[in-house]
């Protein structure tokens, strides 16, 4: 059975904790996977991801699933800062050795994928993102008439799925930013992060995503122009992040296994 160590404090000031899932086979070189939960920076918790933690541990990864601060109580860049603080804690903790940075990989779901991108660029961790939002500034400029709502069907009487998705996207974006501040939106955009250490990156998105794929294509173009290697896997349908996660765990882990081998 997988051994689980729950509620390990990594930030006492903000009472932030992580769960750690230890693989049964500890004879091989340690592989460390950090999973970032989604929820649009407004909801979600490590406790929702127990099944994934067990699956990743059974695949041979010591898996850490941290919580981070959520909005509206904590606005941008709180979650991004927490992600950086977590990695600094991890690399200096008793759970890693001095040379373990090269053994760390990530998977991020939805908003957690946005956090994973920031860390992938800064630390060089290979990463897989499941439906990571990457475009905020341009999207908001193009959708000024969209009314933000966490439940547009009930609150606004909207029935069109695309309009409901757009309303929620605008809602969690404005909630995390704390306003319509377009300067802050540019800082939240994935193409504003530091990618000088970026290694292998795989983006998984449905063809009919929470928002249109044009922002993802522009982001890939941005990275490719800087000489980075990116893989994009587009899936049929409109599933977002956890909706297809269980069907693409093997592809995600295979990518990360190969990345670790390449970086040795």
């Amino acid at each position: 059975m997988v051994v689980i160590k729950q509620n390990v404090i990594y930030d006492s000031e903000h009472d932030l904790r992580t769960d750690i899932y230890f693989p049964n086979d500890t004879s091989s070189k340690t592989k460390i996977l950090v999973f970032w939960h989604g929820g649009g920076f407004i909801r979600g918790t490590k406790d929702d991801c127990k099944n994934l933690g067990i699956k990743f541990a059974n695949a041979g990864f010591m898996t850490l699933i941290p919580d981070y601060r959520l909005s509206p109580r904590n606005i941008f860049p709180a979650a991004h800062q927490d992600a950086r603080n977590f990695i600094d804690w991890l690399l200096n903790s008793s759970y890693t050795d001095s040379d373990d940075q090269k053994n760390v990989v990530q998977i991020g779901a939805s908003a957690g994928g946005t956090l994973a991108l920031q860390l992938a660029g800064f630390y060089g961790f290979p990463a897989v993102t499941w439906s990571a939002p990457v475009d905020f500034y341009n999207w908001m400029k193009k959708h000024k008439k969209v009314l933000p709502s966490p439940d547009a069907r009930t609150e606004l009487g909207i029935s069109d799925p695309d309009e409901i998705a757009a309303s929620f996207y605008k809602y969690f974006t404005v909630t995390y930013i704390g306003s319509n501040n377009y300067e802050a939106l540019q800082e939240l955009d994935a193409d504003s992060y530091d990618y000088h250490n970026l290694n292998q990156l795989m983006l998984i998105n449905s063809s009919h995503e929470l928002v249109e794929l044009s922002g993802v294509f522009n982001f890939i173009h941005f990275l490719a122009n800087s000489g980075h290697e990116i893989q994009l896997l587009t899936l049929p349908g409109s599933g977002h992040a956890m909706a297809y996660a269980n069907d693409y765990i093997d592809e995600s882990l295979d990518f990360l296994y190969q990345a670790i081998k390449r970086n040795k």
Side-chain angles (χ1 to χ4, degrees):
M1 295 179 63
V2 170
V3 175
I4 307 173
K5 190 171 184 178
Q6 295 180 299
N7 294 315
V8 177
I9 296 175
Y10 75 87
D11 182 340
S12 57
E13 178 182 355
H14 300 108
D15 192 29
L16 292 173
R17 301 163 185 252
T18 184
D19 291 342
I20 307 176
Y21 298 77
F22 295 91
N24 292 320
D25 180 10
T26 58
S27 62
S28 60
K29 185 71 174 177
T30 301
K31 299 183 292 294
I32 302 165
L33 190 153
V34 180
F35 179 77
W36 299 99
H37 73 76
F41 305 110
I42 61 173
R43 61 193 183 201
T45 170
K46 61 182 178 57
D47 299 330
D48 301 332
C49 309
K50 183 176 181 180
N51 288 340
L52 283 177
I54 292 172
K55 288 181 180 180
F56 296 148
N58 279 330
F61 290 91
M62 183 178 81
T63 302
L64 299 99
I65 305 180
D67 276 336
Y68 49 87
R69 286 175 290 169
L70 301 175
S71 59
R73 184 175 180 180
N74 303 281
I75 62 174
F76 176 77
H80 286 66
Q81 291 173 338
D82 293 340
R84 287 281 297 269
N85 291 342
F86 174 78
I87 295 300
D88 289 342
W89 169 85
L90 174 62
L91 295 178
N92 290 284
S93 73
S94 60
Y95 300 102
T96 57
D97 296 326
S98 59
D99 63 343
D100 263 339
Q101 182 165 336
K102 66 179 182 298
N103 296 314
V104 177
V105 297
Q106 305 177 100
I107 296 178
S110 191
T114 309
L115 299 179
L117 288 171
Q118 173 198 216
L119 301 171
F122 189 83
Y123 292 95
F125 303 146
V128 176
T129 64
W130 299 340
S131 300
V134 297
D135 177 26
F136 299 97
Y137 176 77
N138 288 322
W139 188 91
M140 290 281 282
K141 286 184 66 177
K142 294 176 182 177
H143 296 82
K144 290 182 178 180
K145 294 183 179 180
V146 171
L147 297 177
S149 172
D151 184 2
R153 185 183 300 276
T154 300
E155 291 188 351
L156 305 177
I158 295 174
S159 58
D160 182 87
D162 291 339
E163 293 181 12
I164 292 171
S167 180
F168 178 67
Y169 194 82
K170 191 167 191 176
Y171 172 78
F172 80 70
T173 299
V174 172
T175 302
Y176 185 39
I177 290 296
S179 68
N180 284 318
N181 185 319
Y182 280 87
E183 182 177 339
L185 284 170
Q186 287 180 301
E187 294 178 10
L188 181 57
D189 277 349
D191 63 9
S192 73
Y193 305 159
D194 180 356
Y195 292 105
H196 72 280
N197 285 324
L198 185 67
N199 279 312
Q200 295 86 355
L201 174 61
M202 181 181 193
L203 310 178
I204 302 180
N205 290 82
S206 295
S207 57
H208 195 68
E209 260 294 357
L210 181 63
V211 295
E212 54 269 22
L213 278 175
S214 57
V216 174
F217 297 147
N218 289 337
F219 177 58
I220 291 174
H221 182 71
F222 162 77
L223 292 178
N225 277 348
S226 299
H228 296 298
E229 175 184 329
I230 318 101
Q231 290 190 29
L232 172 63
L233 174 60
T234 56
L235 315 177
S238 58
H240 179 73
M242 299 302 290
Y244 58 72
N246 286 322
D247 294 329
Y248 287 89
I249 287 176
D250 289 345
E251 284 85 350
S252 300
L253 294 181
D254 285 346
F255 177 84
L256 296 174
Y257 276 128
Q258 295 303 317
I260 291 174
K261 289 181 181 179
R262 286 180 57 183
N263 292 338
K264 283 185 177 180

